[in-house]
Amino acid sequence: LLAGVGNLIGIVQIIRIYPYHYFKNTLVYSFPSANSNLFNIVFFNSKNNDKHVKEIHHLLGISGTTKNVVIASLTKDNETALIICNEYGVPITESICNFSASLLSLSESFIAAASDHNLYLWNYKTHETKGFTFKHAITSISLKSKLLFISFDSKELVSYLIPSFEEHSRYNIPFIVEKLDLASDETRISMIDVHGNMVFLDIHSGTATKSTRNETWCMKWSEDSPNYLVSLEKQRLYVYRNFKPEESIVSLTHVLQYKDLVVNTVNFIGLFKDPLNPTKANFYQFDSKPLRDLKLLLRTNVSRDEIISYVKEKDHPTLWQILAESCLQTNDLYNAEKAFEQTNNKASHLFIKTLSTIPKNSDLQNGLIAWYLQDYRKAESLLLQADRTDLVLEMLNSIRDWTR
């Protein structure tokens, strides 16, 4: 599009983004082929450049979890074929629902597929299926492990318990929802209406944020914390903590994943210039501000107490993990244990308990710490000094190092 006002000219480039999903470092994206009813589905691993291409007739949608992806297509009988694939595009299982589904959402056990007035719920672990019909038209759905949220054109948002499908809660909202996304612990939900306005809802209290974010076209909650979310608004990427934006970055990319306080994005504009030959150059990573700030604090002469206070304030498992590892490097086992407790990493917590039974600053203790921190050369040297060849062999076996 080209528009002129006075001596100014505005150029608008419209690029349609077709269904996609990202999991296990693999972007699954689609685009139409020369045959109008045929779509190419590309599985591209952004880490090792591994690529697989499938062809699907009458593609309806793509969705997924952190472990798999479902591809929905329309059959000759006007039904929906739901095919679950792994990261290589290999089909794992499939099902057929008896209507054309335009909305998809997945959990670790269930797939919800919806049309305007129908919903198909499939437990792809047990292959049990259920069907439901609604009076009002469905506008969006979002499914997690325990709850399925459905928004309707009647300006209602309803949650249902999974798998019983009993109504859990109902909310009246002042707009028609176009997109829903549920936080990792299912206590918060973000919504984008048909005009691009984004609103947050606290599920427990039933209260929504008073202010809205405008011109929002993409949003994704962190996979490992209900406090963090990333969105794309206008030409900027915003990182939120507890409903408040903490920073923004100029970006025209699409969000793929938000995990460990790292935002992974893709530049579809560049990717679609040659969609059958994707490259790593179109993929980007951004460390969010809390992660950058903690790394900076650890490089400076800030006291340990100040760093701990900062991590407590931001409260994210990744920050606690980094803090714990920093404490291990100085043999501060007390604070390392406290930090590991906040990560919910039971293995690391048990590791600290084991270290506490070993003489402090001994070669054995320092060798085990170096092993945990993946400093294998240092660990090998220290463990040999401690006369623990058995542990050296165990370590080398664990990292598949057969050269020594």
Side-chain angles (χ1 to χ4, degrees):
L1 295 178
L2 182 66
V5 178
N7 61 348
L8 300 176
I9 295 177
I11 300 175
V12 179
Q13 183 181 20
I14 299 175
I15 296 179
R16 182 173 179 180
I17 305 300
Y18 295 92
Y20 68 94
H21 179 63
Y22 185 81
F23 71 113
K24 294 184 177 180
N25 299 320
T26 301
L27 175 62
V28 184
Y29 62 96
S30 58
F31 62 95
S33 66
N35 182 338
S36 60
N37 294 326
L38 190 66
F39 273 77
N40 292 301
I41 312 294
V42 181
F43 291 72
F44 178 68
N45 188 303
S46 58
K47 298 297 183 182
N48 61 22
N49 285 323
D50 188 33
K51 182 185 72 172
H52 304 272
V53 181
K54 299 172 68 72
E55 290 185 338
I56 296 290
H57 288 276
H58 301 286
L59 178 70
L60 293 176
I62 295 174
S63 186
T65 66
T66 58
K67 297 180 179 179
N68 50 41
V69 65
V70 63
I71 299 172
S73 61
L74 192 65
T75 69
K76 295 179 180 179
D77 299 322
N78 206 37
E79 296 178 325
T80 300
L82 300 169
I83 304 173
I84 296 179
C85 300
N86 63 14
E87 66 270 32
Y88 306 106
V90 177
I92 299 172
T93 186
E94 62 181 80
S95 183
I96 299 289
C97 69
N98 60 356
F99 56 81
S100 175
S102 56
L103 300 171
L104 299 170
S105 189
L106 271 73
S107 69
E108 298 302 326
S109 300
F110 286 86
I111 291 178
S115 63
D116 285 347
H117 294 276
N118 298 299
L119 178 78
Y120 178 80
L121 192 62
W122 171 33
N123 185 328
Y124 57 89
K125 298 290 181 66
T126 65
H127 296 287
E128 296 177 277
T129 62
K130 296 179 181 179
F132 306 91
T133 302
F134 301 93
K135 176 182 177 182
H136 298 289
I138 300 171
T139 61
S140 61
I141 60 175
S142 183
L143 173 65
K144 291 290 185 183
S145 60
K146 299 177 182 178
L147 294 173
L148 168 63
F149 276 81
I150 305 177
S151 64
F152 298 93
D153 64 355
S154 58
K155 298 182 179 179
E156 289 180 300
L157 177 65
V158 186
S159 66
Y160 298 90
L161 294 172
I162 300 298
S164 65
F165 208 73
E166 297 176 8
E167 184 175 316
H168 176 261
S169 55
R170 182 179 292 264
Y171 309 90
N172 292 311
I173 48 182
F175 49 81
I176 296 176
V177 177
E178 187 176 66
K179 294 180 182 179
L180 288 173
D181 197 20
L182 195 57
S184 59
D185 68 347
E186 303 179 81
T187 62
R188 296 172 167 182
I189 196 164
S190 54
M191 302 172 283
I192 298 177
D193 69 13
V194 293
H195 303 294
N197 301 310
M198 182 172 68
V199 176
F200 299 108
L201 174 69
D202 186 294
I203 294 171
H204 289 324
S205 65
T207 57
T209 51
K210 294 181 180 179
S211 60
T212 61
R213 305 292 300 186
N214 301 322
E215 297 184 46
T216 305
W217 46 281
C218 182
M219 60 186 176
K220 185 173 286 292
W221 286 94
S222 169
E223 292 181 11
D224 44 24
S225 173
N227 300 325
Y228 289 84
L229 173 137
V230 63
S231 72
L232 291 164
E233 305 167 26
K234 300 177 183 177
Q235 296 184 15
R236 302 192 73 87
L237 183 151
Y238 285 84
V239 176
Y240 289 81
R241 177 175 172 269
N242 291 328
F243 304 148
K244 296 180 180 179
E246 286 197 324
E247 66 173 326
S248 67
I249 304 167
V250 175
S251 175
L252 284 175
T253 58
H254 279 67
V255 178
L256 299 177
Q257 184 183 54
Y258 187 21
K259 183 181 179 182
D260 299 330
L261 290 175
V262 176
V263 183
N264 287 282
T265 69
V266 61
N267 175 15
F268 274 122
I269 296 175
L271 187 70
F272 283 147
K273 289 180 179 178
D274 189 6
L276 283 175
N277 295 290
T279 66
K280 294 180 181 180
N282 291 308
F283 293 80
Y284 303 90
Q285 280 191 343
F286 303 99
D287 286 356
S288 55
K289 189 174 185 297
L291 184 57
R292 298 197 311 271
D293 287 349
L294 178 59
K295 290 178 179 178
L296 178 61
L297 290 172
L298 291 172
R299 290 196 300 266
T300 58
N301 293 323
V302 177
S303 69
R304 177 63 52 79
D305 288 341
E306 288 182 76
I307 295 174
I308 292 173
S309 295
Y310 178 82
V311 174
K312 283 182 179 179
E313 178 191 349
K314 299 304 180 182
D315 192 25
H316 188 282
T318 296
L319 301 181
W320 286 111
Q321 179 70 29
I322 294 173
L323 174 61
E325 292 176 2
S326 174
C327 292
L328 281 178
Q329 290 174 354
T330 58
N331 282 88
D332 183 358
L333 300 188
Y334 174 80
N335 283 315
E337 181 177 2
K338 294 297 182 183
F340 276 131
E341 287 175 356
Q342 302 300 317
T343 66
N344 296 320
N345 187 331
K346 294 182 180 179
S348 295
H349 192 242
L350 289 173
F351 172 69
I352 289 292
K353 293 293 186 183
T354 300
L355 287 179
S356 65
T357 65
I358 300 172
K360 188 173 179 63
N361 277 324
S362 64
D363 288 338
L364 177 57
Q365 188 186 72
N366 290 333
L368 291 174
I369 291 173
W371 181 359
Y372 180 88
L373 297 175
Q374 299 181 17
D375 189 347
Y376 301 117
R377 292 287 184 183
K378 180 179 179 181
E380 180 181 357
S381 175
L382 289 168
L383 291 174
L384 287 174
Q385 291 177 39
D387 196 24
R388 292 302 303 267
T389 306
D390 59 320
L391 291 178
V392 173
L393 293 174
E394 184 181 341
M395 178 187 71
L396 296 176
N397 179 55
S398 70
I399 61 175
R400 301 294 188 266
D401 186 348
W402 315 112
T403 59
R404 295 192 299 282

